[in-house]
Amino acid sequence: MVFIFLAACSSDAASTPTQVDSKANSVQTDKSSATTESPMKLKIRVNDTTFTATLEDNSSAKALAEFLQQGEMTLDMHDYGSFEKVADLPKSFPRNDKQIDTDAGDIILYQGNSITIYYDKNSWNFTRLGKIDNVNKKRLKEILGKGNVTATFFVE
């Protein structure tokens, strides 16, 4: 029993740094080393609607966010296949391609130099940049409409 108790205590001690306050004879947990960074956010304005998207934690999304910190990017996006809006980017970005299934709201980097907003499903070898928060297929399709659309991408 003592061995099990000591093993449990040693695994807890290894996972959280502690400091012993000798004056108070108490143990304080160091929470500062456990802080997590909040996810990067992207804004996309289409007509009178501004979407917020959560960016992926990859070098592609980070490079896009860094690029957008220099200023807004406005793109003419055209419909492709009745399931996505796509536009050429002004520069190439690093790729993190893998076979994925997309869904409404996914923001995808295609071949390093095109950006896509999906309003329906697809499956291909892509880099996921992010996902639009709190939107469904029907609402997204209403806002993106048929044909071309102008979208402005920015970070705050």
Side-chain angles (χ1 to χ4, degrees), residues 17-44:
T18 57
Q19 295 177 334
V20 176
D21 183 351
S22 59
K23 291 180 184 175
N25 250 354
S26 64
V27 175
Q28 298 172 343
T29 303
D30 182 5
K31 297 288 184 189
S32 62
S33 63
T35 58
T36 58
E37 205 173 296
S38 60
M40 294 183 296
K41 295 292 185 171
L42 170 71
K43 301 283 187 167
I44 306 166

Short mmCIF file of all heavy atoms in Angstrom, two decimals, residues 17-44:
data_model
loop_
_atom_site.label_atom_id
_atom_site.label_comp_id
_atom_site.label_asym_id
_atom_site.label_seq_id
_atom_site.Cartn_x
_atom_site.Cartn_y
_atom_site.Cartn_z
N PRO A 17 5.07 21.58 -11.24
CA PRO A 17 6.15 22.13 -10.42
C PRO A 17 5.59 22.70 -9.12
O PRO A 17 4.51 23.28 -9.10
CB PRO A 17 6.72 23.26 -11.29
CG PRO A 17 6.19 23.03 -12.65
CD PRO A 17 4.95 22.23 -12.51
N THR A 18 6.35 22.52 -8.02
CA THR A 18 5.89 23.03 -6.74
C THR A 18 6.99 23.82 -6.06
O THR A 18 8.17 23.65 -6.36
CB THR A 18 5.46 21.88 -5.80
OG1 THR A 18 6.57 21.00 -5.64
CG2 THR A 18 4.27 21.13 -6.33
N GLN A 19 6.59 24.67 -5.15
CA GLN A 19 7.52 25.40 -4.31
C GLN A 19 7.09 25.20 -2.87
O GLN A 19 5.90 25.26 -2.56
CB GLN A 19 7.48 26.90 -4.63
CG GLN A 19 7.96 27.22 -6.02
CD GLN A 19 7.82 28.72 -6.29
OE1 GLN A 19 7.00 29.38 -5.69
NE2 GLN A 19 8.64 29.21 -7.20
N VAL A 20 8.05 24.97 -1.99
CA VAL A 20 7.74 24.79 -0.58
C VAL A 20 8.04 26.10 0.13
O VAL A 20 9.13 26.65 0.02
CB VAL A 20 8.56 23.64 0.04
CG1 VAL A 20 8.29 23.54 1.54
CG2 VAL A 20 8.26 22.34 -0.66
N ASP A 21 7.04 26.60 0.83
CA ASP A 21 7.19 27.79 1.63
C ASP A 21 7.58 27.33 3.02
O ASP A 21 6.74 26.84 3.77
CB ASP A 21 5.88 28.57 1.64
CG ASP A 21 5.99 29.88 2.40
OD1 ASP A 21 7.01 30.12 3.07
OD2 ASP A 21 5.02 30.65 2.33
N SER A 22 8.87 27.47 3.37
CA SER A 22 9.35 26.93 4.64
C SER A 22 8.74 27.65 5.84
O SER A 22 8.59 27.06 6.89
CB SER A 22 10.88 27.00 4.70
OG SER A 22 11.30 28.34 4.56
N LYS A 23 8.41 28.92 5.72
CA LYS A 23 7.83 29.66 6.84
C LYS A 23 6.42 29.18 7.16
O LYS A 23 6.05 29.05 8.30
CB LYS A 23 7.80 31.16 6.55
CG LYS A 23 9.17 31.77 6.50
CD LYS A 23 9.09 33.25 6.21
CE LYS A 23 10.49 33.82 6.08
NZ LYS A 23 10.46 35.21 5.69
N ALA A 24 5.64 28.91 6.12
CA ALA A 24 4.26 28.51 6.34
C ALA A 24 4.10 27.00 6.32
O ALA A 24 3.03 26.50 6.56
CB ALA A 24 3.35 29.14 5.28
N ASN A 25 5.17 26.27 6.01
CA ASN A 25 5.12 24.82 5.91
C ASN A 25 4.02 24.36 4.95
O ASN A 25 3.29 23.43 5.21
CB ASN A 25 4.87 24.20 7.28
CG ASN A 25 6.09 23.46 7.78
OD1 ASN A 25 7.07 23.34 7.05
ND2 ASN A 25 6.03 23.00 9.02
N SER A 26 3.88 25.07 3.83
CA SER A 26 2.86 24.70 2.86
C SER A 26 3.47 24.54 1.49
O SER A 26 4.58 25.00 1.23
CB SER A 26 1.74 25.75 2.80
OG SER A 26 2.27 26.98 2.35
N VAL A 27 2.74 23.89 0.60
CA VAL A 27 3.20 23.66 -0.76
C VAL A 27 2.35 24.51 -1.70
O VAL A 27 1.13 24.49 -1.62
CB VAL A 27 3.08 22.16 -1.14
CG1 VAL A 27 3.45 21.94 -2.58
CG2 VAL A 27 3.95 21.32 -0.22
N GLN A 28 3.01 25.25 -2.61
CA GLN A 28 2.30 26.09 -3.57
C GLN A 28 2.55 25.53 -4.97
O GLN A 28 3.67 25.20 -5.31
CB GLN A 28 2.81 27.53 -3.51
CG GLN A 28 2.57 28.17 -2.17
CD GLN A 28 3.25 29.53 -2.07
OE1 GLN A 28 4.13 29.85 -2.85
NE2 GLN A 28 2.83 30.31 -1.10
N THR A 29 1.52 25.44 -5.76
CA THR A 29 1.64 24.95 -7.13
C THR A 29 1.96 26.11 -8.06
O THR A 29 1.34 27.16 -7.98
CB THR A 29 0.33 24.28 -7.58
OG1 THR A 29 0.03 23.24 -6.66
CG2 THR A 29 0.45 23.70 -8.96
N ASP A 30 2.94 25.91 -8.95
CA ASP A 30 3.33 26.93 -9.92
C ASP A 30 2.44 26.80 -11.15
O ASP A 30 2.65 25.96 -11.99
CB ASP A 30 4.81 26.76 -10.30
CG ASP A 30 5.28 27.82 -11.28
OD1 ASP A 30 4.50 28.75 -11.58
OD2 ASP A 30 6.43 27.73 -11.74
N LYS A 31 1.41 27.65 -11.24
CA LYS A 31 0.46 27.61 -12.36
C LYS A 31 0.98 28.38 -13.57
O LYS A 31 0.48 28.21 -14.67
CB LYS A 31 -0.89 28.18 -11.93
CG LYS A 31 -1.57 27.40 -10.84
CD LYS A 31 -2.08 26.10 -11.35
CE LYS A 31 -2.84 25.37 -10.27
NZ LYS A 31 -3.18 24.04 -10.59
N SER A 32 1.97 29.26 -13.41
CA SER A 32 2.43 30.10 -14.51
C SER A 32 3.02 29.26 -15.65
O SER A 32 2.92 29.62 -16.80
CB SER A 32 3.45 31.12 -14.03
OG SER A 32 4.59 30.44 -13.52
N SER A 33 3.62 28.13 -15.34
CA SER A 33 4.21 27.31 -16.39
C SER A 33 3.15 26.52 -17.15
O SER A 33 3.43 25.95 -18.19
CB SER A 33 5.24 26.34 -15.80
OG SER A 33 4.59 25.45 -14.92
N ALA A 34 1.91 26.50 -16.65
CA ALA A 34 0.85 25.72 -17.29
C ALA A 34 -0.08 26.59 -18.14
O ALA A 34 -1.09 26.12 -18.60
CB ALA A 34 0.04 24.98 -16.23
N THR A 35 0.26 27.87 -18.34
CA THR A 35 -0.61 28.73 -19.13
C THR A 35 -0.60 28.29 -20.59
O THR A 35 0.43 27.88 -21.12
CB THR A 35 -0.19 30.21 -19.04
OG1 THR A 35 1.16 30.32 -19.47
CG2 THR A 35 -0.35 30.74 -17.64
N THR A 36 -1.75 28.38 -21.22
CA THR A 36 -1.85 28.00 -22.62
C THR A 36 -2.17 29.22 -23.46
O THR A 36 -2.86 30.13 -23.01
CB THR A 36 -2.95 26.93 -22.83
OG1 THR A 36 -4.18 27.47 -22.36
CG2 THR A 36 -2.62 25.65 -22.09
N GLU A 37 -1.66 29.22 -24.65
CA GLU A 37 -1.89 30.32 -25.57
C GLU A 37 -3.26 30.16 -26.21
O GLU A 37 -3.65 29.07 -26.59
CB GLU A 37 -0.80 30.25 -26.66
CG GLU A 37 -0.51 31.56 -27.31
CD GLU A 37 0.67 31.46 -28.23
OE1 GLU A 37 1.78 31.18 -27.76
OE2 GLU A 37 0.46 31.64 -29.45
N SER A 38 -4.01 31.26 -26.32
CA SER A 38 -5.33 31.16 -26.93
C SER A 38 -5.16 31.00 -28.44
O SER A 38 -4.19 31.46 -29.02
CB SER A 38 -6.16 32.41 -26.62
OG SER A 38 -5.52 33.56 -27.11
N PRO A 39 -6.11 30.32 -29.09
CA PRO A 39 -5.99 30.08 -30.52
C PRO A 39 -6.04 31.40 -31.31
O PRO A 39 -6.69 32.36 -30.91
CB PRO A 39 -7.19 29.20 -30.86
CG PRO A 39 -8.08 29.22 -29.68
CD PRO A 39 -7.31 29.76 -28.52
N MET A 40 -5.33 31.40 -32.43
CA MET A 40 -5.34 32.58 -33.31
C MET A 40 -6.70 32.70 -33.98
O MET A 40 -7.32 31.71 -34.33
CB MET A 40 -4.27 32.43 -34.40
CG MET A 40 -2.86 32.43 -33.88
SD MET A 40 -1.64 32.35 -35.22
CE MET A 40 -1.98 30.76 -35.95
N LYS A 41 -7.14 33.94 -34.15
CA LYS A 41 -8.44 34.20 -34.78
C LYS A 41 -8.25 34.96 -36.10
O LYS A 41 -7.35 35.78 -36.23
CB LYS A 41 -9.35 35.01 -33.86
CG LYS A 41 -9.75 34.27 -32.59
CD LYS A 41 -10.66 33.10 -32.89
CE LYS A 41 -11.15 32.45 -31.62
NZ LYS A 41 -12.18 31.45 -31.88
N LEU A 42 -9.11 34.67 -37.04
CA LEU A 42 -9.14 35.29 -38.35
C LEU A 42 -10.53 35.87 -38.55
O LEU A 42 -11.51 35.27 -38.11
CB LEU A 42 -8.85 34.23 -39.43
CG LEU A 42 -9.05 34.60 -40.88
CD1 LEU A 42 -7.97 35.56 -41.34
CD2 LEU A 42 -9.02 33.34 -41.74
N LYS A 43 -10.61 37.01 -39.18
CA LYS A 43 -11.90 37.61 -39.52
C LYS A 43 -12.04 37.57 -41.04
O LYS A 43 -11.08 37.79 -41.78
CB LYS A 43 -11.98 39.06 -39.05
CG LYS A 43 -11.80 39.25 -37.56
CD LYS A 43 -13.04 38.88 -36.81
CE LYS A 43 -12.89 39.25 -35.34
NZ LYS A 43 -14.11 39.20 -34.63
N ILE A 44 -13.27 37.30 -41.49
CA ILE A 44 -13.59 37.29 -42.93
C ILE A 44 -14.87 38.08 -43.11
O ILE A 44 -15.90 37.74 -42.54
CB ILE A 44 -13.79 35.85 -43.46
CG1 ILE A 44 -12.60 34.97 -43.12
CG2 ILE A 44 -14.06 35.88 -44.96
CD1 ILE A 44 -12.85 33.49 -43.31
#
